[in-house]
Amino acid sequence: MKPANLLFIISDQHQAAAMGCAGHPLVQTPNLDRLAASGARFSNAYTNCAICVPARASLATGQFVHQIGNWDNGLPYDGSVPSWGHRLKEQGHVVDSIGKLHFRSADDDNGFRHEIEPLHVVDGIGDPASGIRDGSIRRDWRPGIEEAGPADSTYQQYDIRNRDNAIRWLRDHAADEKPWALFLSFVTPHPPWFAPPETYNLYPQDQIPLPPQWREADWPRHPAYEYMRRFFSSEAPFPEATIRRLNAVYYGICTFLDEQIGLVLAALDDLKLRETTRVIYSSDHGEHIGARGIYGKFTMYEEAANIPFIMSGPDVPAGKVVDTPISLIDCYPTILEAVGCDAPDDGVERPGASLWEIAAADDHDRVVFAEYHAIGSRKAYYMLRDRRYKYIYHVAAPAQLFDLSADPAELNDLAGAPAENTRQLLAAYEAQLRAILDPEAVDQRAKADQAARIESLGGREAVIARGVFTNSPTPGETPKFRRFVEVSN
């Protein structure tokens, strides 16, 4: 494949289904739809961890969370594990970032030559209280959901600046001879739950399709999700009208994001860079918006774990939908190959594969892996996903199994009352998982690292006294800390 420039666009918390090109009956994303029509859309793309810091660390390093130890939003990536950016810089490529990175600090060498208005974790610390997973503290997300509606936000303002910074960057580098890589990271549609009035009004609430299992009577009563609802104070159901309004806001933010991406892609066209630039669009994880009685990301359900992934440009087949499963760790070899950078010969195990090859090939079965050790969970859980099934292993809780070819909405957990052939499937998937890691041992290692992190910051009481913020502030914005809902002795 001939080397070319690479524009990697990533958003935050964009559900894979929330695009017109993915078949959503309502969401308007015309620019992403055109990008997909000009290239390949991966229908079975997954995050490796459904929360920001770990997902972005895996994307950067091409390694699973349990390999690198960035377990939660209080253990951020610090550049010590080499990233694809480091590799590109070593070989003389211009590689810059614009927008949200959610690493430890711009003072670290994160692999970029320049970080333009980066959003990193608060104070280089982030959210260490997310490592307190014993059930003794809770967070109240109800107010943010209840106030959802049409309004401006610092996140919208930040993404407009990210858009403008990207357009300026492309102009400055339009004549570069050596292929470059630009990592453009938008923060929407991540909450706060405010959408511009003009995009919010595109979605009449009586037309909003309600998410799967939104009614309390239909909630999956698995202990992991019962705990999660209590942790975020959403164990009492929200009224249907609130859920409809929240979904309208979310769709409005998705359309706002699409508009910003469209303006960047228009600049790429104006500068005559399309023929020499490959474009990737993805997100770090999805969003439940009330599905299963859950708000936020955090789970292995499709709403949270399935992510948008589109590639376009030279050597990418146009108008193709790729069903082969992929994940964010595949980005490491994909980015290196795009710009003509040699893979490192460093002996590090990076499980990913080049997506340019997968896009060009016929669909085939492949297993992707994800894990979760962070906020809202008491124990770890892990996912294996192939073309037909999704297997979720919960430490010290029942496993789940879904046949996504027959049950794409994940309404029927086959592990609940397994027939003999299902028991065999469950055993085979568990054996496959244990070939990757020891789930119980990794759960304990994550908790030990989280406890050590909390101790290094003055201990449990100091971390709790620091408080919690709902959303990471944009550059220059003061974090708004809040107290925890309760602390039991």
Side-chain angles (χ1 to χ4, degrees):
M1 189 170 73
K2 183 179 178 180
N5 304 320
L6 178 67
L7 172 59
F8 194 119
I9 305 174
I10 187 169
S11 62
D12 197 319
Q13 214 151 313
H14 190 184
Q15 187 187 96
M19 300 187 295
C21 58
H24 197 282
L26 211 59
V27 177
Q28 298 181 35
T29 53
N31 297 293
L32 290 174
D33 298 349
R34 281 191 290 272
L35 187 68
S38 71
R41 181 177 66 84
F42 292 75
S43 60
N44 293 321
Y46 289 86
T47 185
N48 299 109
C49 185
I51 193 168
C52 297
V53 164
R56 289 166 181 270
S58 282
L59 191 162
T61 62
Q63 298 180 69
F64 294 131
V65 172
H66 68 269
Q67 293 177 279
I68 53 179
N70 300 107
W71 306 106
D72 61 34
N73 281 5
L75 287 160
Y77 176 71
D78 61 6
S80 59
V81 177
S83 69
W84 53 261
H86 289 107
R87 187 63 179 166
L88 265 60
K89 280 204 308 180
E90 288 170 5
Q91 297 193 22
H93 294 275
V94 169
V95 51
D96 291 344
S97 75
I98 295 171
K100 178 174 181 176
L101 289 173
H102 228 205
F103 298 161
R104 184 175 69 175
S105 170
D107 295 331
D108 297 323
D109 177 4
N110 297 312
F112 297 106
R113 188 192 62 153
H114 298 302
E115 296 178 5
I116 300 169
E117 204 172 344
L119 189 161
H120 288 298
V121 301
V122 172
D123 299 329
I125 297 172
D127 184 18
S130 62
I132 301 174
R133 300 167 58 203
D134 58 5
S136 63
I137 56 175
R138 297 174 59 178
R139 305 190 188 194
D140 186 1
W141 280 14
R142 298 189 76 86
I145 294 167
E146 290 167 342
E147 70 182 8
D152 192 14
S153 71
T154 57
Y155 274 18
Q156 294 170 41
Q157 296 164 14
Y158 181 49
D159 274 352
I160 289 171
R161 298 198 302 274
N162 290 329
R163 173 203 74 195
D164 291 343
N165 284 331
I167 292 170
R168 279 191 291 270
W169 193 97
L170 291 172
R171 288 173 183 156
D172 291 343
H173 294 274
D176 286 10
E177 293 185 6
K178 191 176 179 99
W180 45 254
L182 176 63
F183 188 75
L184 170 58
S185 183
F186 293 106
V187 72
T188 53
H190 190 291
W193 297 112
F194 301 123
E198 60 272 20
T199 60
Y200 173 79
N201 290 332
L202 294 172
Y203 301 104
Q205 290 173 40
D206 61 353
Q207 297 178 25
I208 295 291
L210 288 160
Q213 297 180 310
W214 67 275
R215 296 180 190 275
E216 183 181 14
D218 299 328
W219 289 354
R221 293 298 178 180
H222 190 283
Y225 313 125
E226 296 279 53
Y227 174 80
M228 185 173 291
R229 294 186 199 102
R230 289 194 303 273
F231 182 88
F232 291 113
S233 302
S234 58
E235 67 270 46
F238 287 92
E240 178 180 335
T242 299
I243 297 173
R244 287 184 178 277
R245 185 175 72 253
L246 182 74
N247 277 252
V249 168
Y250 183 74
Y251 298 158
I253 306 173
C254 289
T255 297
F256 165 81
L257 168 70
D258 182 81
E259 291 172 351
Q260 312 319 309
I261 292 171
L263 290 167
V264 174
L265 296 178
L268 203 67
D269 289 331
D270 292 344
L271 295 164
K272 305 294 191 293
L273 286 171
R274 275 297 180 111
E275 297 303 315
T276 56
T277 304
R278 297 184 177 100
V279 179
I280 294 176
Y281 171 70
S282 190
S283 196
D284 54 357
H285 49 70
E287 160 62 49
H288 268 265
I289 43 178
R292 335 283 175 183
I294 295 169
Y295 301 84
K297 45 268 189 181
F298 320 121
T299 79
M300 301 301 176
Y301 280 105
E302 290 293 277
E303 292 83 22
N306 189 208
I307 54 174
F309 205 101
I310 300 169
M311 301 198 316
S312 180
D315 304 308
V316 181
K320 185 174 183 180
V321 177
V322 180
D323 291 332
T324 302
I326 68 166
S327 74
L328 287 176
I329 60 161
D330 294 317
C331 292
Y332 188 104
T334 300
I335 293 168
L336 265 58
E337 185 175 3
V339 300
C341 181
D342 295 332
D345 183 18
D346 56 7
V348 175
E349 180 189 359
R350 296 184 181 88
S354 169
L355 297 178
W356 311 109
E357 297 172 12
I358 290 175
D362 293 336
D363 288 335
H364 58 276
D365 208 1
R366 186 169 184 250
V367 176
V368 296
F369 167 84
E371 60 194 300
Y372 192 81
H373 311 271
I375 185 173
S377 70
R378 294 194 78 157
K379 303 280 188 179
Y381 37 91
Y382 308 87
M383 179 194 79
L384 295 178
R385 169 72 160 104
D386 56 31
R387 286 184 70 186
R388 180 173 179 180
Y389 290 104
K390 178 189 290 184
Y391 170 74
I392 307 170
Y393 182 93
H394 296 264
V395 171
Q400 296 176 279
L401 181 68
F402 298 99
D403 181 349
L404 292 184
S405 62
D407 177 27
E410 298 172 297
L411 304 179
N412 180 25
D413 180 2
L414 299 175
E420 177 58 32
N421 63 330
T422 305
R423 284 193 289 270
Q424 293 173 0
L425 263 178
L426 289 166
Y429 278 119
E430 182 174 347
Q432 194 170 8
L433 175 67
R434 290 186 181 278
I436 298 172
L437 48 61
D438 180 331
E440 285 75 23
V442 169
D443 178 50
Q444 291 303 312
R445 180 157 57 90
K447 288 175 178 172
D449 287 352
Q450 289 164 333
R453 174 64 167 162
I454 290 166
E455 189 62 29
S456 74
L457 294 170
R460 173 191 176 90
E461 296 309 315
V463 166
I464 291 173
R466 178 173 178 256
V468 61
F469 45 90
T470 304
N471 308 307
S472 294
T474 59
E477 185 181 6
T478 302
K480 298 175 182 177
F481 285 93
R482 302 163 56 194
R483 291 184 177 275
F484 291 94
V485 174
E486 61 180 30
V487 180
S488 58
N489 296 321

